[in-house]
Amino acid sequence: MASNNLNVTFNNSILRHNHYPKYLGITLDRTLSFNKHLTNLAAKLRTRNNILYKLAGSTWGADASTLRTSALSLVFSTAEYCASVWLNSPYVSKVDSVLNQTMRIISGSIKSTPIEWLPVLCHIEPPKIRRQQILVREFKKVSENLDLSIHQDIIRFNRLKSRNPTVKTAQQLVTNNFNGYEEWIASWQSRADPAWHPLLDPKNPPQGFNLPRKIWVRLNRIRTGHGRSGSALFKWGMRMSPECDCGAASQTMHHIAYECPTRRFSGTTSDFLHATARSIQWLNQLDIEL
Ligand SMILES: [Zn+2]
């Protein structure tokens, strides 16, 4: 009760001072761009990512499965609140960049990792596809039940001028038989090297999902080819030279896994794809941090 009163006071004071009206928890701005709403939302999500960092970063480090469940309930559920109203906003990228960070935490990926890897490694549909799924689900529910009071809300939102109404988007998706899984697979296969295509199975997480945090992170950095290799550290100005201690001119992730005479792996990409026992053993015994 006490905290409810506090929230009411807080919201009222925001309304008084900033003149941004709220409707059903959505901050509205004059042009209906949702800039203010999504900026605030992104800030809120960043503080939730900090909780995930703590779960992932300790020496025992929660496994990917635990982090994924926590991320869905702490971050994604908040990130998707009323998404069917604002998903066409030009400011959606503010939220997506925080969600990408959420997925980097779960998968242990570094910033340079191409974003198409993140949903695949985390077994979470890409944020845009998740929002489209929500929109289609809600649109179907509402159009099938005229008694729902939300009909009034839709009428109200439609009265507000929007250049890109989400109702229209929903109609288009339904007409085109939108299927989130198919979209996801098509987008992954158009971007990833064919060797990695089987890594995406919308029904099951990638192999290695329950490995100890340390091995899971190393595995994904080898898979993506993005990690703290000598050449990356050199590029970031954290090392004097990109060389490997074996004498090779450039210590890339590929060099470490497949070329380095000191530590290269005797298997293939397929071992890392399937997280085979010998690939896990190699990752465990690796003498450098990735
Ligand atoms: Zn080497």
Side-chain angles (χ1 to χ4, degrees):
M1 206 53 197
S3 72
N4 275 344
N5 286 340
L6 272 178
N7 280 335
V8 169
T9 317
F10 182 64
N11 284 336
N12 283 344
S13 77
I14 283 180
L15 280 180
R16 264 201 307 277
H17 292 113
N18 291 340
H19 308 290
Y20 284 104
K22 276 195 162 197
Y23 183 70
L24 293 176
I26 303 269
T27 308
L28 300 173
D29 49 78
R30 219 203 281 245
T31 58
L32 219 65
S33 69
F34 300 104
N35 184 7
K36 183 77 182 165
H37 179 71
L38 297 174
T39 304
N40 292 347
L41 178 57
K44 187 175 186 177
L45 299 176
R46 271 192 289 274
T47 67
R48 298 194 172 197
N49 271 354
N50 288 339
I51 300 171
L52 285 185
Y53 270 122
K54 292 209 172 86
L55 278 173
S58 50
T59 44
W60 51 272
D63 68 14
S65 186
T66 309
L67 289 173
R68 175 182 179 272
T69 310
S70 312
L72 287 174
S73 60
L74 266 175
V75 193
F76 279 82
S77 65
T78 305
E80 287 160 357
Y81 175 73
C82 283
S84 43
V85 170
W86 51 256
L87 89 175
N88 284 338
S89 161
Y91 300 97
V92 164
S93 58
K94 292 189 179 196
V95 169
D96 281 352
S97 72
V98 189
L99 292 177
N100 287 339
Q101 189 56 30
T102 309
M103 292 189 283
R104 278 192 201 99
I105 299 168
I106 300 170
S107 58
S109 312
I110 65 165
K111 197 152 190 203
S112 62
T113 311
I115 54 168
E116 65 267 20
W117 281 93
L118 307 176
V120 175
L121 293 172
C122 297
H123 191 48
I124 296 175
E125 297 103 319
K128 184 182 174 186
I129 292 179
R130 288 176 62 89
R131 287 191 292 268
Q132 290 173 325
Q133 284 170 329
I134 293 169
L135 177 67
V136 167
R137 215 164 39 233
E138 288 183 5
F139 178 76
K140 284 183 174 168
K141 197 172 85 184
V142 172
S143 40
E144 281 159 18
N145 188 350
L146 293 168
D147 296 332
L148 282 177
S149 61
I150 196 168
H151 269 284
Q152 295 307 312
D153 294 330
I154 286 178
I155 291 162
R156 255 174 235 147
F157 268 117
N158 278 345
R159 254 188 239 142
L160 299 164
K161 274 183 197 152
S162 168
R163 264 167 289 174
N164 205 352
T166 61
V167 174
K168 209 167 139 191
T169 309
Q171 284 161 340
Q172 283 164 351
L173 290 170
V174 170
T175 309
N176 297 330
N177 285 320
F178 172 75
N179 180 317
Y181 286 158
E182 282 172 11
E183 294 278 325
W184 185 14
I185 291 171
S187 125
W188 167 244
Q189 295 194 346
S190 71
R191 287 168 197 196
D193 184 293
W196 296 108
H197 286 183
L199 196 63
L200 171 56
D201 167 1
K203 290 203 173 66
N204 298 298
Q207 298 288 316
F209 215 59
N210 292 310
L211 284 170
R213 174 77 186 165
K214 186 179 94 172
I215 305 299
W216 167 246
V217 170
R218 288 180 174 187
L219 173 64
N220 289 337
R221 291 184 183 181
I222 291 289
R223 280 169 166 170
T224 59
H226 287 259
R228 301 168 60 83
S229 62
S231 86
L233 292 170
F234 174 68
K235 210 185 287 173
W236 303 330
M238 293 164 73
R239 226 170 111 158
M240 296 302 285
S241 128
E243 280 170 29
C244 183
D245 53 9
C246 72
S250 180
Q251 188 199 54
T252 60
M253 296 297 277
H254 187 268
H255 170 82
I256 294 167
Y258 307 107
E259 296 167 353
C260 185
T262 318
R263 48 183 76 85
R264 72 173 163 232
F265 176 52
S266 59
T268 65
T269 307
S270 172
D271 285 280
F272 295 119
L273 172 70
H274 299 290
T276 59
R278 62 175 176 171
S279 72
I280 292 164
Q281 193 188 12
W282 179 78
L283 290 165
N284 200 21
Q285 289 171 350
L286 200 59
D287 63 335
I288 45 172
E289 277 313 317
L290 293 179

